[in-house]
Short mmCIF file of all heavy atoms in Angstrom, two decimals:
data_model
loop_
_atom_site.label_atom_id
_atom_site.label_comp_id
_atom_site.label_asym_id
_atom_site.label_seq_id
_atom_site.Cartn_x
_atom_site.Cartn_y
_atom_site.Cartn_z
N GLY A 204 9.26 7.18 2.39
CA GLY A 204 9.88 6.16 3.21
C GLY A 204 10.52 6.75 4.44
O GLY A 204 10.43 7.95 4.70
N VAL A 205 11.17 5.89 5.20
CA VAL A 205 11.79 6.27 6.47
C VAL A 205 13.26 5.87 6.45
O VAL A 205 13.64 4.84 5.88
CB VAL A 205 11.08 5.58 7.65
CG1 VAL A 205 11.77 5.90 8.97
CG2 VAL A 205 9.61 5.98 7.70
N VAL A 206 14.09 6.70 7.07
CA VAL A 206 15.50 6.38 7.28
C VAL A 206 15.76 6.39 8.78
O VAL A 206 15.43 7.35 9.48
CB VAL A 206 16.42 7.40 6.58
CG1 VAL A 206 17.88 7.14 6.95
CG2 VAL A 206 16.25 7.34 5.07
N ILE A 207 16.32 5.29 9.28
CA ILE A 207 16.67 5.18 10.70
C ILE A 207 18.18 5.36 10.83
O ILE A 207 18.96 4.61 10.22
CB ILE A 207 16.25 3.81 11.28
CG1 ILE A 207 14.74 3.60 11.12
CG2 ILE A 207 16.64 3.71 12.75
CD1 ILE A 207 13.89 4.59 11.89
N ASN A 208 18.58 6.35 11.61
CA ASN A 208 20.00 6.69 11.77
C ASN A 208 20.57 6.22 13.10
O ASN A 208 19.84 5.93 14.05
CB ASN A 208 20.18 8.21 11.68
CG ASN A 208 20.10 8.72 10.25
OD1 ASN A 208 20.25 7.95 9.30
ND2 ASN A 208 19.87 10.00 10.11
N LYS A 209 21.88 6.21 13.15
CA LYS A 209 22.63 5.99 14.39
C LYS A 209 22.20 4.71 15.11
O LYS A 209 22.01 4.68 16.32
CB LYS A 209 22.48 7.20 15.33
CG LYS A 209 22.91 8.52 14.69
CD LYS A 209 22.75 9.69 15.65
CE LYS A 209 23.10 11.01 14.98
NZ LYS A 209 22.92 12.17 15.87
N VAL A 210 22.06 3.65 14.34
CA VAL A 210 21.68 2.36 14.90
C VAL A 210 22.89 1.71 15.55
O VAL A 210 23.97 1.66 14.95
CB VAL A 210 21.10 1.44 13.81
CG1 VAL A 210 20.75 0.08 14.39
CG2 VAL A 210 19.88 2.09 13.17
N ILE A 211 22.73 1.21 16.78
CA ILE A 211 23.82 0.50 17.46
C ILE A 211 24.22 -0.69 16.59
O ILE A 211 23.37 -1.52 16.24
CB ILE A 211 23.38 0.04 18.85
CG1 ILE A 211 23.02 1.25 19.72
CG2 ILE A 211 24.47 -0.78 19.52
CD1 ILE A 211 22.41 0.88 21.06
N PRO A 212 25.50 -0.79 16.21
CA PRO A 212 25.92 -1.86 15.29
C PRO A 212 25.50 -3.26 15.71
O PRO A 212 25.08 -4.06 14.88
CB PRO A 212 27.44 -1.71 15.26
CG PRO A 212 27.66 -0.25 15.49
CD PRO A 212 26.61 0.15 16.49
N SER A 213 25.57 -3.54 17.01
CA SER A 213 25.22 -4.88 17.47
C SER A 213 23.72 -5.17 17.34
O SER A 213 23.29 -6.32 17.37
CB SER A 213 25.64 -5.06 18.93
OG SER A 213 24.97 -4.14 19.78
N LYS A 214 22.90 -4.11 17.18
CA LYS A 214 21.45 -4.29 17.04
C LYS A 214 20.98 -3.94 15.62
O LYS A 214 19.78 -3.76 15.39
CB LYS A 214 20.72 -3.40 18.06
CG LYS A 214 21.00 -3.79 19.50
CD LYS A 214 20.18 -2.95 20.47
CE LYS A 214 20.42 -3.37 21.92
NZ LYS A 214 19.61 -2.56 22.87
N TYR A 215 21.90 -3.87 14.69
CA TYR A 215 21.57 -3.43 13.34
C TYR A 215 20.55 -4.35 12.67
O TYR A 215 19.51 -3.90 12.18
CB TYR A 215 22.83 -3.32 12.49
CG TYR A 215 22.57 -2.88 11.08
CD1 TYR A 215 22.41 -1.53 10.78
CD2 TYR A 215 22.46 -3.80 10.04
CE1 TYR A 215 22.15 -1.12 9.48
CE2 TYR A 215 22.21 -3.40 8.75
CZ TYR A 215 22.06 -2.05 8.47
OH TYR A 215 21.79 -1.64 7.18
N ASP A 216 20.84 -5.64 12.61
CA ASP A 216 19.95 -6.58 11.92
C ASP A 216 18.57 -6.61 12.56
O ASP A 216 17.54 -6.66 11.87
CB ASP A 216 20.56 -7.99 11.93
CG ASP A 216 21.80 -8.07 11.06
OD1 ASP A 216 21.92 -7.26 10.11
OD2 ASP A 216 22.67 -8.94 11.32
N GLN A 217 18.53 -6.58 13.89
CA GLN A 217 17.26 -6.58 14.60
C GLN A 217 16.44 -5.34 14.28
O GLN A 217 15.24 -5.42 13.97
CB GLN A 217 17.52 -6.65 16.10
CG GLN A 217 16.31 -6.37 16.97
CD GLN A 217 16.67 -6.27 18.46
OE1 GLN A 217 17.06 -7.26 19.06
NE2 GLN A 217 16.54 -5.08 19.03
N THR A 218 17.10 -4.19 14.33
CA THR A 218 16.40 -2.93 14.06
C THR A 218 15.88 -2.89 12.63
O THR A 218 14.73 -2.52 12.38
CB THR A 218 17.35 -1.74 14.31
OG1 THR A 218 17.79 -1.76 15.67
CG2 THR A 218 16.64 -0.42 14.03
N LYS A 219 16.71 -3.28 11.68
CA LYS A 219 16.30 -3.25 10.28
C LYS A 219 15.10 -4.18 10.03
O LYS A 219 14.14 -3.79 9.34
CB LYS A 219 17.48 -3.66 9.39
CG LYS A 219 17.18 -3.57 7.91
CD LYS A 219 18.42 -3.90 7.09
CE LYS A 219 18.11 -3.78 5.60
NZ LYS A 219 19.30 -4.10 4.77
N HIS A 220 15.13 -5.37 10.60
CA HIS A 220 14.06 -6.34 10.37
C HIS A 220 12.73 -5.85 10.95
O HIS A 220 11.70 -5.80 10.25
CB HIS A 220 14.43 -7.68 11.00
CG HIS A 220 13.30 -8.67 11.02
ND1 HIS A 220 12.85 -9.31 9.88
CD2 HIS A 220 12.49 -9.09 12.04
CE1 HIS A 220 11.84 -10.10 10.20
NE2 HIS A 220 11.60 -9.98 11.50
N TYR A 221 12.73 -5.48 12.22
CA TYR A 221 11.48 -5.13 12.88
C TYR A 221 10.92 -3.78 12.43
O TYR A 221 9.70 -3.62 12.31
CB TYR A 221 11.65 -5.16 14.40
CG TYR A 221 11.74 -6.57 14.95
CD1 TYR A 221 12.95 -7.07 15.42
CD2 TYR A 221 10.62 -7.40 14.97
CE1 TYR A 221 13.04 -8.38 15.91
CE2 TYR A 221 10.70 -8.69 15.44
CZ TYR A 221 11.91 -9.18 15.91
OH TYR A 221 11.99 -10.47 16.38
N MET A 222 11.80 -2.82 12.17
CA MET A 222 11.29 -1.53 11.71
C MET A 222 10.73 -1.64 10.30
O MET A 222 9.71 -1.03 9.98
CB MET A 222 12.39 -0.48 11.77
CG MET A 222 12.82 -0.12 13.18
SD MET A 222 11.44 0.44 14.21
CE MET A 222 11.53 2.19 14.00
N SER A 223 11.37 -2.41 9.43
CA SER A 223 10.84 -2.62 8.08
C SER A 223 9.44 -3.21 8.14
O SER A 223 8.52 -2.75 7.46
CB SER A 223 11.76 -3.54 7.28
OG SER A 223 13.02 -2.96 7.08
N LYS A 224 9.28 -4.22 8.97
CA LYS A 224 7.98 -4.88 9.09
C LYS A 224 6.94 -3.95 9.71
O LYS A 224 5.78 -3.91 9.27
CB LYS A 224 8.13 -6.15 9.94
CG LYS A 224 6.83 -6.94 10.10
CD LYS A 224 7.08 -8.27 10.77
CE LYS A 224 5.79 -9.02 11.05
NZ LYS A 224 4.96 -9.18 9.84
#
Side-chain angles (χ1 to χ4, degrees):
V205 177
V206 173
I207 301 296
N208 283 341
K209 303 180 183 179
V210 178
I211 298 173
S213 62
K214 296 184 178 180
Y215 180 82
D216 292 335
Q217 168 187 293
T218 300
K219 184 176 181 180
H220 170 74
Y221 286 108
M222 292 304 266
S223 296
K224 182 172 175 54

